[in-house]
mmCIF file of all heavy atoms in Angstrom:
data_model
loop_
_atom_site.group_PDB
_atom_site.id
_atom_site.type_symbol
_atom_site.label_atom_id
_atom_site.label_comp_id
_atom_site.label_asym_id
_atom_site.label_seq_id
_atom_site.Cartn_x
_atom_site.Cartn_y
_atom_site.Cartn_z
ATOM 1 N N ALA A 20 112.403 117.520 95.675
ATOM 2 C CA ALA A 20 110.982 117.425 95.304
ATOM 3 C C ALA A 20 110.169 116.804 96.442
ATOM 4 O O ALA A 20 109.080 117.285 96.770
ATOM 5 C CB ALA A 20 110.822 116.611 94.026
ATOM 6 N N GLU A 21 110.703 115.734 97.038
ATOM 7 C CA GLU A 21 110.003 115.088 98.152
ATOM 8 C C GLU A 21 109.919 116.024 99.354
ATOM 9 O O GLU A 21 108.889 116.077 100.032
ATOM 10 C CB GLU A 21 110.718 113.795 98.549
ATOM 11 C CG GLU A 21 110.596 112.691 97.527
ATOM 12 C CD GLU A 21 111.506 111.518 97.820
ATOM 13 O OE1 GLU A 21 112.563 111.702 98.456
ATOM 14 O OE2 GLU A 21 111.152 110.403 97.397
ATOM 15 N N LYS A 22 110.976 116.778 99.606
ATOM 16 C CA LYS A 22 110.987 117.729 100.717
ATOM 17 C C LYS A 22 109.925 118.800 100.504
ATOM 18 O O LYS A 22 109.222 119.187 101.440
ATOM 19 C CB LYS A 22 112.375 118.352 100.852
ATOM 20 C CG LYS A 22 112.508 119.379 101.938
ATOM 21 C CD LYS A 22 112.489 118.762 103.312
ATOM 22 C CE LYS A 22 112.828 119.817 104.347
ATOM 23 N NZ LYS A 22 111.969 119.752 105.510
ATOM 24 N N SER A 23 109.770 119.242 99.277
ATOM 25 C CA SER A 23 108.753 120.239 98.962
ATOM 26 C C SER A 23 107.345 119.686 99.213
ATOM 27 O O SER A 23 106.507 120.360 99.816
ATOM 28 C CB SER A 23 108.889 120.684 97.500
ATOM 29 O OG SER A 23 107.874 121.593 97.174
ATOM 30 N N VAL A 24 107.109 118.457 98.767
ATOM 31 C CA VAL A 24 105.813 117.809 99.005
ATOM 32 C C VAL A 24 105.586 117.654 100.498
ATOM 33 O O VAL A 24 104.507 117.969 101.019
ATOM 34 C CB VAL A 24 105.738 116.439 98.289
ATOM 35 C CG1 VAL A 24 104.509 115.655 98.726
ATOM 36 C CG2 VAL A 24 105.742 116.622 96.779
ATOM 37 N N TRP A 25 106.603 117.162 101.207
ATOM 38 C CA TRP A 25 106.479 116.945 102.657
ATOM 39 C C TRP A 25 106.190 118.261 103.380
ATOM 40 O O TRP A 25 105.336 118.324 104.257
ATOM 41 C CB TRP A 25 107.734 116.287 103.218
ATOM 42 C CG TRP A 25 107.610 116.042 104.678
ATOM 43 C CD1 TRP A 25 108.277 116.685 105.677
ATOM 44 C CD2 TRP A 25 106.731 115.126 105.318
ATOM 45 N NE1 TRP A 25 107.869 116.212 106.901
ATOM 46 C CE2 TRP A 25 106.911 115.254 106.702
ATOM 47 C CE3 TRP A 25 105.793 114.210 104.846
ATOM 48 C CZ2 TRP A 25 106.203 114.505 107.621
ATOM 49 C CZ3 TRP A 25 105.091 113.451 105.762
ATOM 50 C CH2 TRP A 25 105.296 113.604 107.124
ATOM 51 N N ASP A 26 106.892 119.334 103.003
ATOM 52 C CA ASP A 26 106.658 120.629 103.640
ATOM 53 C C ASP A 26 105.218 121.088 103.447
ATOM 54 O O ASP A 26 104.604 121.648 104.363
ATOM 55 C CB ASP A 26 107.633 121.679 103.095
ATOM 56 C CG ASP A 26 109.062 121.471 103.570
ATOM 57 O OD1 ASP A 26 109.275 120.716 104.554
ATOM 58 O OD2 ASP A 26 109.976 122.055 102.956
ATOM 59 N N ASN A 27 104.667 120.841 102.264
ATOM 60 C CA ASN A 27 103.270 121.206 102.004
ATOM 61 C C ASN A 27 102.310 120.356 102.837
ATOM 62 O O ASN A 27 101.292 120.856 103.325
ATOM 63 C CB ASN A 27 102.938 121.091 100.517
ATOM 64 C CG ASN A 27 103.478 122.250 99.725
ATOM 65 O OD1 ASN A 27 103.462 123.386 100.187
ATOM 66 N ND2 ASN A 27 103.967 121.973 98.535
ATOM 67 N N ILE A 28 102.613 119.084 102.993
ATOM 68 C CA ILE A 28 101.778 118.200 103.823
ATOM 69 C C ILE A 28 101.784 118.683 105.265
ATOM 70 O O ILE A 28 100.726 118.808 105.893
ATOM 71 C CB ILE A 28 102.261 116.737 103.723
ATOM 72 C CG1 ILE A 28 101.992 116.184 102.327
ATOM 73 C CG2 ILE A 28 101.594 115.864 104.793
ATOM 74 C CD1 ILE A 28 102.712 114.880 102.020
ATOM 75 N N VAL A 29 102.967 118.981 105.770
ATOM 76 C CA VAL A 29 103.101 119.473 107.144
ATOM 77 C C VAL A 29 102.322 120.774 107.304
ATOM 78 O O VAL A 29 101.593 120.969 108.285
ATOM 79 C CB VAL A 29 104.588 119.651 107.524
ATOM 80 C CG1 VAL A 29 104.740 120.408 108.826
ATOM 81 C CG2 VAL A 29 105.276 118.298 107.597
ATOM 82 N N LYS A 30 102.450 121.657 106.337
ATOM 83 C CA LYS A 30 101.750 122.947 106.386
ATOM 84 C C LYS A 30 100.239 122.730 106.431
ATOM 85 O O LYS A 30 99.539 123.368 107.218
ATOM 86 C CB LYS A 30 102.139 123.793 105.170
ATOM 87 C CG LYS A 30 101.506 125.158 105.132
ATOM 88 C CD LYS A 30 101.965 125.919 103.905
ATOM 89 C CE LYS A 30 101.252 127.249 103.791
ATOM 90 N NZ LYS A 30 101.663 127.976 102.582
ATOM 91 N N MET A 31 99.727 121.825 105.602
ATOM 92 C CA MET A 31 98.285 121.560 105.575
ATOM 93 C C MET A 31 97.801 120.958 106.896
ATOM 94 O O MET A 31 96.723 121.309 107.382
ATOM 95 C CB MET A 31 97.929 120.645 104.403
ATOM 96 C CG MET A 31 97.995 121.349 103.065
ATOM 97 S SD MET A 31 97.404 120.326 101.706
ATOM 98 C CE MET A 31 98.798 119.260 101.453
ATOM 99 N N ILE A 32 98.597 120.070 107.471
ATOM 100 C CA ILE A 32 98.209 119.460 108.753
ATOM 101 C C ILE A 32 98.205 120.516 109.851
ATOM 102 O O ILE A 32 97.275 120.582 110.656
ATOM 103 C CB ILE A 32 99.131 118.276 109.103
ATOM 104 C CG1 ILE A 32 98.871 117.129 108.124
ATOM 105 C CG2 ILE A 32 98.907 117.822 110.546
ATOM 106 C CD1 ILE A 32 99.840 115.988 108.232
ATOM 107 N N ARG A 33 99.220 121.361 109.866
ATOM 108 C CA ARG A 33 99.258 122.430 110.863
ATOM 109 C C ARG A 33 98.055 123.373 110.703
ATOM 110 O O ARG A 33 97.448 123.793 111.694
ATOM 111 C CB ARG A 33 100.565 123.210 110.770
ATOM 112 C CG ARG A 33 101.774 122.415 111.221
ATOM 113 C CD ARG A 33 103.041 123.276 111.190
ATOM 114 N NE ARG A 33 104.236 122.489 111.342
ATOM 115 C CZ ARG A 33 104.695 122.007 112.478
ATOM 116 N NH1 ARG A 33 104.029 122.211 113.589
ATOM 117 N NH2 ARG A 33 105.808 121.301 112.524
ATOM 118 N N MET A 34 97.688 123.700 109.458
ATOM 119 C CA MET A 34 96.534 124.558 109.205
ATOM 120 C C MET A 34 95.246 123.877 109.667
ATOM 121 O O MET A 34 94.369 124.528 110.245
ATOM 122 C CB MET A 34 96.457 124.925 107.716
ATOM 123 C CG MET A 34 97.507 125.929 107.308
ATOM 124 S SD MET A 34 97.641 126.295 105.515
ATOM 125 C CE MET A 34 96.010 126.140 104.904
ATOM 126 N N ALA A 35 95.139 122.578 109.425
ATOM 127 C CA ALA A 35 93.951 121.844 109.859
ATOM 128 C C ALA A 35 93.841 121.850 111.376
ATOM 129 O O ALA A 35 92.742 122.045 111.931
ATOM 130 C CB ALA A 35 93.990 120.412 109.331
ATOM 131 N N LEU A 36 94.963 121.661 112.062
ATOM 132 C CA LEU A 36 94.963 121.692 113.526
ATOM 133 C C LEU A 36 94.541 123.069 114.037
ATOM 134 O O LEU A 36 93.751 123.177 114.984
ATOM 135 C CB LEU A 36 96.340 121.313 114.074
ATOM 136 C CG LEU A 36 96.770 119.864 113.874
ATOM 137 C CD1 LEU A 36 98.225 119.674 114.282
ATOM 138 C CD2 LEU A 36 95.871 118.916 114.641
ATOM 139 N N GLU A 37 95.049 124.121 113.404
ATOM 140 C CA GLU A 37 94.681 125.477 113.807
ATOM 141 C C GLU A 37 93.203 125.740 113.549
ATOM 142 O O GLU A 37 92.527 126.378 114.361
ATOM 143 C CB GLU A 37 95.544 126.497 113.070
ATOM 144 C CG GLU A 37 96.978 126.525 113.552
ATOM 145 C CD GLU A 37 97.857 127.471 112.740
ATOM 146 O OE1 GLU A 37 97.322 128.293 111.961
ATOM 147 O OE2 GLU A 37 99.087 127.385 112.890
ATOM 148 N N THR A 38 92.675 125.227 112.437
ATOM 149 C CA THR A 38 91.255 125.380 112.121
ATOM 150 C C THR A 38 90.394 124.719 113.186
ATOM 151 O O THR A 38 89.310 125.203 113.515
ATOM 152 C CB THR A 38 90.942 124.773 110.730
ATOM 153 O OG1 THR A 38 91.706 125.472 109.750
ATOM 154 C CG2 THR A 38 89.477 124.876 110.395
ATOM 155 N N LEU A 39 90.897 123.627 113.738
ATOM 156 C CA LEU A 39 90.183 122.930 114.808
ATOM 157 C C LEU A 39 90.383 123.606 116.165
ATOM 158 O O LEU A 39 89.859 123.137 117.173
ATOM 159 C CB LEU A 39 90.648 121.475 114.887
ATOM 160 C CG LEU A 39 90.303 120.600 113.685
ATOM 161 C CD1 LEU A 39 90.996 119.252 113.794
ATOM 162 C CD2 LEU A 39 88.797 120.426 113.582
ATOM 163 N N GLY A 40 91.133 124.698 116.174
ATOM 164 C CA GLY A 40 91.372 125.419 117.414
ATOM 165 C C GLY A 40 92.523 124.874 118.236
ATOM 166 O O GLY A 40 92.680 125.207 119.398
ATOM 167 N N LEU A 41 93.328 124.027 117.623
ATOM 168 C CA LEU A 41 94.468 123.431 118.323
ATOM 169 C C LEU A 41 95.731 124.182 117.943
ATOM 170 O O LEU A 41 96.342 123.928 116.916
ATOM 171 C CB LEU A 41 94.603 121.958 117.974
ATOM 172 C CG LEU A 41 93.395 121.087 118.296
ATOM 173 C CD1 LEU A 41 93.575 119.701 117.714
ATOM 174 C CD2 LEU A 41 93.197 121.019 119.798
ATOM 175 N N SER A 42 96.099 125.133 118.755
ATOM 176 C CA SER A 42 97.295 125.922 118.507
ATOM 177 C C SER A 42 98.435 125.324 119.324
ATOM 178 O O SER A 42 98.771 125.790 120.407
ATOM 179 C CB SER A 42 97.048 127.374 118.897
ATOM 180 O OG SER A 42 98.167 128.148 118.575
ATOM 181 N N ILE A 43 99.018 124.251 118.792
ATOM 182 C CA ILE A 43 100.087 123.563 119.502
ATOM 183 C C ILE A 43 101.361 123.607 118.675
ATOM 184 O O ILE A 43 101.321 123.721 117.454
ATOM 185 C CB ILE A 43 99.716 122.096 119.817
ATOM 186 C CG1 ILE A 43 99.392 121.330 118.536
ATOM 187 C CG2 ILE A 43 98.563 122.032 120.786
ATOM 188 C CD1 ILE A 43 99.148 119.857 118.727
ATOM 189 N N SER A 44 102.463 123.510 119.346
ATOM 190 C CA SER A 44 103.753 123.507 118.672
ATOM 191 C C SER A 44 104.308 122.087 118.713
ATOM 192 O O SER A 44 104.563 121.554 119.797
ATOM 193 C CB SER A 44 104.700 124.466 119.375
ATOM 194 O OG SER A 44 105.962 124.422 118.762
ATOM 195 N N ILE A 45 104.454 121.478 117.541
ATOM 196 C CA ILE A 45 105.029 120.137 117.459
ATOM 197 C C ILE A 45 106.119 120.130 116.403
ATOM 198 O O ILE A 45 106.059 120.865 115.423
ATOM 199 C CB ILE A 45 103.978 119.049 117.159
ATOM 200 C CG1 ILE A 45 103.235 119.332 115.842
ATOM 201 C CG2 ILE A 45 102.992 118.912 118.286
ATOM 202 C CD1 ILE A 45 102.278 118.248 115.426
ATOM 203 N N THR A 46 107.097 119.287 116.624
ATOM 204 C CA THR A 46 108.208 119.185 115.679
ATOM 205 C C THR A 46 107.807 118.345 114.473
ATOM 206 O O THR A 46 106.820 117.599 114.515
ATOM 207 C CB THR A 46 109.438 118.544 116.337
ATOM 208 O OG1 THR A 46 109.127 117.181 116.647
ATOM 209 C CG2 THR A 46 109.857 119.296 117.592
ATOM 210 N N ASP A 47 108.573 118.457 113.419
ATOM 211 C CA ASP A 47 108.326 117.636 112.236
ATOM 212 C C ASP A 47 108.475 116.155 112.559
ATOM 213 O O ASP A 47 107.770 115.318 112.000
ATOM 214 C CB ASP A 47 109.271 118.026 111.098
ATOM 215 C CG ASP A 47 108.914 119.368 110.471
ATOM 216 O OD1 ASP A 47 107.842 119.921 110.805
ATOM 217 O OD2 ASP A 47 109.701 119.857 109.648
ATOM 218 N N ASP A 48 109.410 115.818 113.473
ATOM 219 C CA ASP A 48 109.588 114.409 113.855
ATOM 220 C C ASP A 48 108.332 113.868 114.527
ATOM 221 O O ASP A 48 107.900 112.748 114.244
ATOM 222 C CB ASP A 48 110.784 114.246 114.791
ATOM 223 C CG ASP A 48 112.107 114.387 114.073
ATOM 224 O OD1 ASP A 48 112.139 114.250 112.836
ATOM 225 O OD2 ASP A 48 113.119 114.625 114.756
ATOM 226 N N VAL A 49 107.762 114.650 115.427
ATOM 227 C CA VAL A 49 106.529 114.224 116.098
ATOM 228 C C VAL A 49 105.406 114.097 115.082
ATOM 229 O O VAL A 49 104.653 113.125 115.090
ATOM 230 C CB VAL A 49 106.142 115.211 117.227
ATOM 231 C CG1 VAL A 49 104.764 114.914 117.770
ATOM 232 C CG2 VAL A 49 107.177 115.168 118.337
ATOM 233 N N LEU A 50 105.324 115.053 114.175
ATOM 234 C CA LEU A 50 104.297 114.999 113.134
ATOM 235 C C LEU A 50 104.494 113.774 112.247
ATOM 236 O O LEU A 50 103.525 113.089 111.900
ATOM 237 C CB LEU A 50 104.336 116.282 112.312
ATOM 238 C CG LEU A 50 103.160 116.564 111.411
ATOM 239 C CD1 LEU A 50 101.836 116.469 112.155
ATOM 240 C CD2 LEU A 50 103.306 117.934 110.779
ATOM 241 N N SER A 51 105.727 113.446 111.915
ATOM 242 C CA SER A 51 106.012 112.242 111.125
ATOM 243 C C SER A 51 105.534 110.996 111.852
ATOM 244 O O SER A 51 104.924 110.108 111.247
ATOM 245 C CB SER A 51 107.512 112.117 110.850
ATOM 246 O OG SER A 51 107.946 113.129 109.996
ATOM 247 N N ASN A 52 105.806 110.930 113.147
ATOM 248 C CA ASN A 52 105.358 109.777 113.930
ATOM 249 C C ASN A 52 103.840 109.688 113.982
ATOM 250 O O ASN A 52 103.279 108.588 113.927
ATOM 251 C CB ASN A 52 105.950 109.827 115.337
ATOM 252 C CG ASN A 52 107.432 109.533 115.347
ATOM 253 O OD1 ASN A 52 107.946 108.841 114.479
ATOM 254 N ND2 ASN A 52 108.131 110.079 116.312
ATOM 255 N N LEU A 53 103.160 110.826 114.088
ATOM 256 C CA LEU A 53 101.701 110.827 114.086
ATOM 257 C C LEU A 53 101.150 110.329 112.747
ATOM 258 O O LEU A 53 100.188 109.561 112.711
ATOM 259 C CB LEU A 53 101.168 112.231 114.377
ATOM 260 C CG LEU A 53 101.338 112.736 115.795
ATOM 261 C CD1 LEU A 53 100.953 114.217 115.888
ATOM 262 C CD2 LEU A 53 100.506 111.916 116.762
ATOM 263 N N ILE A 54 101.777 110.749 111.665
ATOM 264 C CA ILE A 54 101.337 110.316 110.341
ATOM 265 C C ILE A 54 101.559 108.812 110.180
ATOM 266 O O ILE A 54 100.683 108.095 109.691
ATOM 267 C CB ILE A 54 102.058 111.111 109.232
ATOM 268 C CG1 ILE A 54 101.583 112.564 109.256
ATOM 269 C CG2 ILE A 54 101.820 110.477 107.870
ATOM 270 C CD1 ILE A 54 102.406 113.494 108.401
ATOM 271 N N LYS A 55 102.714 108.319 110.600
ATOM 272 C CA LYS A 55 102.993 106.879 110.508
ATOM 273 C C LYS A 55 101.996 106.080 111.337
ATOM 274 O O LYS A 55 101.470 105.061 110.889
ATOM 275 C CB LYS A 55 104.419 106.573 110.964
ATOM 276 C CG LYS A 55 105.473 106.955 109.965
ATOM 277 C CD LYS A 55 106.834 106.474 110.396
ATOM 278 C CE LYS A 55 107.528 107.531 111.204
ATOM 279 N NZ LYS A 55 108.928 107.221 111.516
ATOM 280 N N ALA A 56 101.715 106.552 112.553
ATOM 281 C CA ALA A 56 100.765 105.842 113.416
ATOM 282 C C ALA A 56 99.359 105.877 112.824
ATOM 283 O O ALA A 56 98.636 104.875 112.859
ATOM 284 C CB ALA A 56 100.765 106.469 114.809
ATOM 285 N N SER A 57 98.994 107.007 112.262
ATOM 286 C CA SER A 57 97.676 107.133 111.639
ATOM 287 C C SER A 57 97.550 106.188 110.449
ATOM 288 O O SER A 57 96.533 105.512 110.270
ATOM 289 C CB SER A 57 97.468 108.579 111.185
ATOM 290 O OG SER A 57 96.264 108.712 110.487
ATOM 291 N N TYR A 58 98.594 106.126 109.626
ATOM 292 C CA TYR A 58 98.582 105.229 108.471
ATOM 293 C C TYR A 58 98.512 103.773 108.919
ATOM 294 O O TYR A 58 97.740 102.986 108.377
ATOM 295 C CB TYR A 58 99.815 105.465 107.603
ATOM 296 C CG TYR A 58 99.863 104.544 106.412
ATOM 297 C CD1 TYR A 58 99.011 104.752 105.335
ATOM 298 C CD2 TYR A 58 100.734 103.470 106.367
ATOM 299 C CE1 TYR A 58 99.033 103.903 104.247
ATOM 300 C CE2 TYR A 58 100.757 102.620 105.284
ATOM 301 C CZ TYR A 58 99.908 102.837 104.224
ATOM 302 O OH TYR A 58 99.922 101.987 103.152
ATOM 303 N N ALA A 59 99.295 103.415 109.925
ATOM 304 C CA ALA A 59 99.286 102.028 110.424
ATOM 305 C C ALA A 59 97.898 101.652 110.943
ATOM 306 O O ALA A 59 97.408 100.543 110.690
ATOM 307 C CB ALA A 59 100.325 101.857 111.524
ATOM 308 N N GLU A 60 97.243 102.575 111.631
ATOM 309 C CA GLU A 60 95.902 102.324 112.146
ATOM 310 C C GLU A 60 94.896 102.171 111.001
ATOM 311 O O GLU A 60 94.026 101.309 111.026
ATOM 312 C CB GLU A 60 95.478 103.457 113.086
ATOM 313 C CG GLU A 60 94.191 103.209 113.813
ATOM 314 C CD GLU A 60 94.264 102.070 114.818
ATOM 315 O OE1 GLU A 60 95.369 101.718 115.275
ATOM 316 O OE2 GLU A 60 93.199 101.510 115.137
ATOM 317 N N MET A 61 95.051 103.004 109.975
ATOM 318 C CA MET A 61 94.160 102.923 108.820
ATOM 319 C C MET A 61 94.313 101.568 108.126
ATOM 320 O O MET A 61 93.326 100.926 107.771
ATOM 321 C CB MET A 61 94.473 104.042 107.831
ATOM 322 C CG MET A 61 93.570 104.052 106.617
ATOM 323 S SD MET A 61 94.133 105.196 105.351
ATOM 324 C CE MET A 61 95.596 104.364 104.775
ATOM 325 N N VAL A 62 95.545 101.114 107.955
ATOM 326 C CA VAL A 62 95.791 99.821 107.319
ATOM 327 C C VAL A 62 95.205 98.697 108.171
ATOM 328 O O VAL A 62 94.552 97.788 107.652
ATOM 329 C CB VAL A 62 97.311 99.610 107.082
ATOM 330 C CG1 VAL A 62 97.609 98.176 106.693
ATOM 331 C CG2 VAL A 62 97.813 100.576 106.022
ATOM 332 N N LYS A 63 95.415 98.767 109.465
ATOM 333 C CA LYS A 63 94.879 97.758 110.380
ATOM 334 C C LYS A 63 93.350 97.692 110.291
ATOM 335 O O LYS A 63 92.773 96.613 110.191
ATOM 336 C CB LYS A 63 95.312 98.068 111.819
ATOM 337 C CG LYS A 63 94.879 97.029 112.832
ATOM 338 C CD LYS A 63 95.408 97.378 114.204
ATOM 339 C CE LYS A 63 94.252 97.899 115.032
ATOM 340 N NZ LYS A 63 94.617 98.281 116.376
ATOM 341 N N ASN A 64 92.709 98.857 110.302
ATOM 342 C CA ASN A 64 91.250 98.900 110.215
ATOM 343 C C ASN A 64 90.757 98.397 108.866
ATOM 344 O O ASN A 64 89.736 97.729 108.780
ATOM 345 C CB ASN A 64 90.735 100.312 110.476
ATOM 346 C CG ASN A 64 90.867 100.714 111.912
ATOM 347 O OD1 ASN A 64 90.942 99.881 112.807
ATOM 348 N ND2 ASN A 64 90.915 102.007 112.151
ATOM 349 N N SER A 65 91.492 98.713 107.823
ATOM 350 C CA SER A 65 91.119 98.260 106.481
ATOM 351 C C SER A 65 91.181 96.742 106.390
ATOM 352 O O SER A 65 90.290 96.102 105.838
ATOM 353 C CB SER A 65 92.052 98.886 105.450
ATOM 354 O OG SER A 65 91.794 98.379 104.173
#
Side-chain angles (χ1 to χ4, degrees):
E21 290 170 333
K22 178 72 172 136
S23 177
V24 170
W25 181 250
D26 289 344
N27 283 322
I28 292 166
V29 169
K30 182 179 175 182
M31 287 186 282
I32 291 172
R33 291 184 192 282
M34 287 173 33
L36 291 172
E37 288 176 13
T38 299
L39 294 171
L41 301 171
S42 184
I43 58 174
S44 178
I45 58 175
T46 66
D47 287 351
D48 286 341
V49 171
L50 194 52
S51 292
N52 289 333
L53 289 172
I54 291 169
K55 285 187 269 188
S57 175
Y58 179 74
E60 188 67 22
M61 181 190 70
V62 168
K63 184 177 106 180
N64 288 337
S65 175

